Amino acid sequence: MSGFIINRRRFLTVAGAAASAVTLSGCGAFDGFLSSQSPVRDVLASANSLTYRVQRMLIDADALAPEFSASEVRQGQRPNGSTDPTDADYLALKEKQFADYRMTIGGLVEKPLSFSLDELRNMPARTQVTRHDCVEGWSCIAKWTGVPLATILDEARVKPEARFVVFHCYDSMDLGLSGAVRYYESIDLIDARHPQTILAYGCNDEALRVANGAPLRVRIERQLGYKMAKYIKGIELASTLAPYGSGKGGFWEDLGYEWYAGI
Ligand SMILES: Nc1nc2c(c(=O)[nH]1)N[C@H]1C(S)=C(S)[C@@H](COP(=O)(O)O)O[C@H]1N2
Ligand SMILES: [Mo]
């Protein structure tokens, strides 16, 4: 395993040297560096997936994130990002206390399904007290209750060619001149089937609040906060992330964040 880390370091050194050689040789070469045929560009583009593969080798697939006791919950879950979506379809559901809400699961599954909130609440639940770490530098301990995502995946029967779970959300994010896009996220099937990955409808012994993603949000306890999609509209199984957004696997990833945000 340590041999692999050294190889990775050597690999990144080589990538760095190649990149700086290109930079030193001036503007023309810089254009070449950005061109899709450039081997340097391919090396840099693969660094993210290399990080993913190295982390996947180092982390035990079933290792649990730390859980806390209920007494360690000191405050409500601090709301962040979208906290009050104004999209018309969301407002219509909210007005009726989400009575008409149905979460859909589709894409590469044998059996596309949808679930009402009551149906989800009647499935075997898991409760966990965990720490949420936001990339902006704050953490918050909260108690989450929901359905293991693995249960939903088993009911829908994931096809063998599926590699990712994509979460589609109700809230739109304003991108200024380029308009608004809906929040979305994605994870691999290892995280999707992890025992602590739940579709949460409860937080700190109450129904999930709108500020924290009502009626349903995902908890992925070994990842940073932005991976945990709130306001889930539907889930899609996919073999590639290319068709969604700008193809990087999530709203923040499309703006430059790492896709694999393991902690
Ligand atoms: N749909 C959606 N999900 C989202 C976000 C968002 O803006 N929209 N923000 C993310 C970020 S950056 C964080 S830290 C957490 C915040 O969850 P909380 O409001 O329950 O603390 O949700 C994540 N999931
Ligand atoms: Mo965050």
Side-chain angles (χ1 to χ4, degrees):
M1 190 139 310
S2 63
F4 197 86
I5 298 172
I6 290 162
N7 283 340
R8 178 189 182 227
R9 180 168 299 162
R10 196 193 302 139
F11 176 91
L12 292 179
T13 308
V14 170
S20 50
V22 168
T23 313
L24 281 176
S25 57
C27 293
F30 190 70
D31 288 336
F33 161 60
L34 287 178
S35 95
S36 55
Q37 269 83 49
S38 160
V40 176
R41 186 186 135 130
D42 289 347
V43 166
L44 294 181
S46 69
N48 193 13
S49 83
L50 186 74
T51 307
Y52 163 63
R53 276 180 280 134
V54 169
Q55 290 212 36
R56 268 280 170 251
M57 282 185 75
L58 297 177
I59 297 170
D60 173 0
D62 296 321
L64 297 180
E67 294 197 12
F68 300 82
S69 69
S71 64
E72 289 170 279
V73 177
R74 310 221 179 275
Q75 57 178 90
Q77 171 67 18
R78 172 180 166 165
N80 196 47
S82 296
T83 54
D84 200 8
T86 52
D87 300 71
D89 48 358
Y90 183 80
L91 291 177
L93 292 171
K94 183 172 108 170
E95 199 179 278
K96 294 191 187 168
Q97 285 78 50
F98 305 105
D100 297 336
Y101 173 77
R102 292 197 80 84
M103 185 211 74
T104 60
I105 176 165
L108 296 173
V109 293
E110 303 290 348
K111 212 171 135 198
L113 293 168
S114 76
F115 300 87
S116 71
L117 267 186
D118 277 346
E119 284 166 348
L120 294 169
R121 288 196 196 102
N122 284 325
M123 295 172 84
R126 179 183 168 101
T127 293
Q128 60 207 24
V129 180
T130 52
R131 197 188 62 222
H132 179 106
D133 296 308
C134 173
V135 73
E136 291 165 15
W138 56 270
S139 297
C140 197
I141 293 177
K143 181 179 183 180
W144 301 98
T145 301
V147 189
L149 178 54
T151 308
I152 306 287
L153 296 179
D154 288 343
E155 288 212 12
R157 301 207 304 273
V158 174
K159 290 188 178 173
E161 58 272 32
R163 290 182 60 207
F164 305 103
V165 174
V166 181
F167 301 94
H168 298 285
C169 305
Y170 277 107
D171 56 315
S172 292
M173 308 291 284
D174 194 0
L175 284 177
L177 288 179
S178 32
V181 293
R182 284 197 159 180
Y183 201 92
Y184 79 103
E185 254 305 336
S186 60
I187 55 175
D188 65 14
L189 283 168
I190 297 175
D191 270 327
R193 292 194 171 280
H194 185 269
Q196 288 169 318
T197 299
I198 60 174
L199 295 174
Y201 46 73
C203 180
N204 296 331
D205 298 314
E206 289 176 10
L208 186 64
R209 296 180 182 199
V210 165
N212 301 118
L216 199 67
R217 69 97 53 84
V218 67
R219 298 294 311 166
I220 307 153
E221 303 294 357
R222 297 178 311 170
Q223 299 269 345
L224 287 172
Y226 63 86
K227 297 298 293 183
M228 303 193 219
K230 312 199 283 189
Y231 315 109
I232 294 175
K233 182 172 159 65
I235 292 176
E236 207 178 329
L237 277 291
S239 60
T240 154
L241 299 173
Y244 310 100
S246 305
K248 300 282 182 354
F251 171 77
W252 286 112
E253 287 85 336
D254 286 339
L255 295 173
Y257 283 35
E258 291 275 330
W259 177 76
Y260 190 73
I263 45 177

